[in-house]
Amino acid sequence: MAAVGAGSSTAAPGPGVVSAGALEPGTTSAAHRRLKYISLAVLVVQNASLILSIRYARTLPGDRFFATTAVVMAEVLKGLTCLLLLFAQKRGNLKHLVLFLHEAVLVQYVDTLKLAVPSLIYTLQNNLQYVAISNLPAATFQVTYQLKILTTALFSVLMLNRSLSRLQWASLLLLFTGVAIVQAQQAGGGSPRPLDQNPGVGLAAVVASCLSSGFAGVYFEKILKGSSGSVWLRNLQLGLFGTALGLVGLWWAEGTAVAHRGFFFGYTPAVWGVVLNQAFGGLLVAVVVKYADNILKGFATSLSIVLSTVASIRLFGFHVDPLFALGAGLVIGAVYLYSLPRGTAKAIASVSGPCMHQQPPGQPPPPQLSSHRGDLITEPFLPKLLTKVKGS
C-alpha cells in the first residue's frame, strides 16, 4: 500500500493496488470500471456500517463501555497502522524511518503543530458522534449528519472565498429542508424509543459534530495548502495529537469512572468491531476513494442512507413513516445534486436561469461532497488529500 504524495496528482502503485497508468490500453477501461464498483461498495459499507455498529454497541443490554476509551483506542490503532505503512514505504529500513519521522515531525515542527487544531476538533467530533448515535436512531442520524455538506460549503465560502452555483445553493436549501422534516418526525415520536435516549441531546450533538466537521476540513485545507507530506504521515501526526487529546478528554469526562472500572470496561466483540471500523475503515476508504468521482461519492452517500434505514428496520425496529420518507428523499436528492460536476450543474441550472455566482478564472472549484467522517480520513478533505494536500 503506497502512500500518496501530498503534492502529487497520482498515487504510486503498491502491492495489490492497480495503477491505471501501468495497464494495457485494452484493459484500462474495464479495470477502472471494476475499481469504481469496488469503491462504491467500500464507501457504502463504511458509511453505513460505522453508524449501525455504534448504535448496536451502545444499545446492547448490560454494561456500557466508555465512549472516550473507544475514541482513544481508534486513534492509537490508526496511528500504529500508519506507522507500519510508513515503515513498509521505507522498505523496512528502521533507520530511514526514524530519520524521516525526525525530520517530518520534529524538525518541521511548525507543520506538525498546525495539525493540533484539526486534531482537537476531530477528537471532539468523534466523541459527539457517540453521543448523537446513542440518542438518535441510526437512520435519523445518517440523514441528519448530511448537514456536514452544508457546513463545509458555508465555511468554504466564508474562509476560502469559494463560490457555489445556483443549483448547489438550491441543493443545500433542499438538504436543510429534508433534515428539518426528519427531525420534525423524530420530535413527533414517529418511532418508539427507550427512556434513556434524548432526541434533543442527539440533535444538538449531531449539529455540533457537523459544524466541527465542516470547520475542521476547511481549516485543514487552509493551513496545509502548499505543504508536503503523504496521507499516511498526516494521519500519523493526527493520531499522535488525537491520542493525547483523547486521553485528556477521557480524564476530564470519565476519568474517575475509568480509573474505578478499568479502561476496557464493557468491551465486547461488538465494541471492538466499532473501534476497528473507526481505525481501519477510513484508511481503507483512503485507498479506494481516489477511484470514485464526486457523482459516485454522492451515490454512495445516498445508498448508505437507504442501507442504514433498511438495517435499522430489521435490527432496531425502526418505523418509516411518510414524513421520514419525504425528508430522507429530499436529502438523498440534495446530496446527488450537490455532487454533480460543475459543468453539469451549470447545464441544469441554465433551465431556470444563470448561476448566482460565476466561477472566476483561476479560482479553485467549489467544495465537493465528502461522504466520510472527519478525522483525516473522513470526512470533508480526504478525497483531495489523495491527489494533493488540500488545496487538499
Side-chain angles (χ1 to χ4, degrees):
M1 215 178 292
V4 181
S8 172
S9 60
T10 58
V17 178
V18 179
S19 171
L23 295 174
E24 294 295 327
T27 63
T28 301
S29 179
H32 273 191
R33 281 198 300 272
R34 286 196 298 271
L35 288 171
K36 290 184 79 169
Y37 289 137
I38 293 172
S39 301
L40 175 62
V42 170
L43 292 173
V44 171
V45 171
Q46 164 64 10
N47 281 344
S49 65
L50 180 59
I51 294 169
L52 291 169
S53 61
I54 292 178
R55 178 68 179 177
Y56 178 74
R58 296 296 281 176
T59 55
L60 282 176
D63 296 327
R64 177 176 286 190
F65 68 99
F66 299 111
T68 51
T69 65
V71 171
V72 171
M73 282 305 304
E75 292 297 327
V76 169
L77 291 176
K78 185 182 72 175
L80 289 176
T81 301
C82 291
L83 188 61
L84 289 175
L85 290 170
L86 288 171
F87 183 63
Q89 188 181 13
K90 299 301 177 183
R91 301 181 182 277
N93 190 313
L94 183 60
K95 181 180 179 180
H96 286 179
L97 176 64
V98 172
L99 291 175
F100 169 75
L101 292 177
H102 178 268
E103 173 70 22
V105 178
L106 298 180
V107 176
Q108 300 180 24
Y109 67 92
V110 175
D111 276 351
T112 301
L113 290 176
K114 286 179 180 179
L115 294 170
V117 173
S119 182
L120 171 63
I121 297 173
Y122 289 139
T123 302
L124 173 64
Q125 178 188 343
N126 289 338
N127 283 284
L128 286 171
Q129 283 186 347
Y130 277 98
V131 175
I133 299 174
S134 299
N135 288 280
L136 291 174
T140 302
F141 173 86
Q142 181 76 292
V143 172
T144 308
Y145 193 55
Q146 302 315 310
L147 281 176
K148 68 180 183 285
I149 301 170
L150 173 62
T151 59
T152 301
L154 293 179
F155 280 121
S156 295
V157 170
L158 294 174
M159 297 172 61
L160 302 177
N161 296 319
R162 285 181 171 163
S163 63
L164 302 179
S165 70
R166 183 175 183 175
L167 182 63
Q168 286 176 315
W169 282 113
S171 68
L172 292 176
L173 178 61
L174 194 66
L175 174 70
F176 183 82
T177 303
V179 170
I181 291 174
V182 168
Q183 286 301 319
Q185 178 265 356
Q186 178 69 25
S191 298
R193 62 174 181 267
L195 296 176
D196 62 342
Q197 295 179 18
N198 188 329
V201 172
L203 175 60
V206 75
V207 169
S209 182
C210 290
L211 286 170
S212 63
S213 173
F215 176 78
V218 175
Y219 176 83
F220 193 78
E221 173 177 356
K222 190 177 180 68
I223 64 174
L224 289 187
K225 188 172 292 185
S227 66
S228 61
S230 73
V231 69
W232 310 125
L233 172 63
R234 294 307 181 202
N235 274 281
L236 174 60
Q237 292 170 313
L238 281 175
L240 292 174
F241 281 116
T243 300
L245 294 170
L247 286 172
V248 172
L250 183 156
W251 171 80
W252 181 75
E254 299 173 320
T256 303
V258 171
H260 176 67
R261 296 187 173 184
F263 188 92
F264 296 108
F265 174 79
Y267 271 57
T268 64
V271 177
W272 280 110
V274 170
V275 172
L276 293 175
N277 196 337
Q278 277 196 313
F280 301 131
L283 293 175
L284 179 60
V285 170
V287 176
V288 303
V289 75
K290 60 189 172 187
Y291 302 109
D293 55 26
N294 288 312
I295 293 180
L296 194 67
K297 285 181 278 184
F299 189 50
T301 301
S302 301
L303 280 180
S304 67
I305 293 174
V306 175
L307 179 60
S308 295
T309 302
V310 173
S312 295
I313 295 173
R314 298 295 301 272
L315 295 175
F316 311 119
F318 182 72
H319 173 66
V320 177
D321 61 15
L323 203 59
F324 177 88
L326 173 61
L330 290 177
V331 170
I332 290 173
V335 168
Y336 174 77
L337 290 175
Y338 187 82
S339 64
L340 289 175
R342 188 75 169 185
T344 305
K346 285 185 176 181
I348 296 176
S350 65
V351 175
S352 56
C355 290
M356 293 173 63
H357 299 280
Q358 298 295 333
Q359 184 77 5
Q363 180 170 322
Q368 295 297 332
L369 170 69
S370 170
S371 56
H372 311 295
R373 96 139 177 111
D375 65 93
L376 183 64
I377 289 305
T378 105
E379 253 93 12
F381 52 86
L382 173 64
K384 293 190 177 182
L385 264 179
L386 292 166
T387 55
K388 61 173 130 159
V389 168
K390 257 194 151 214
S392 141

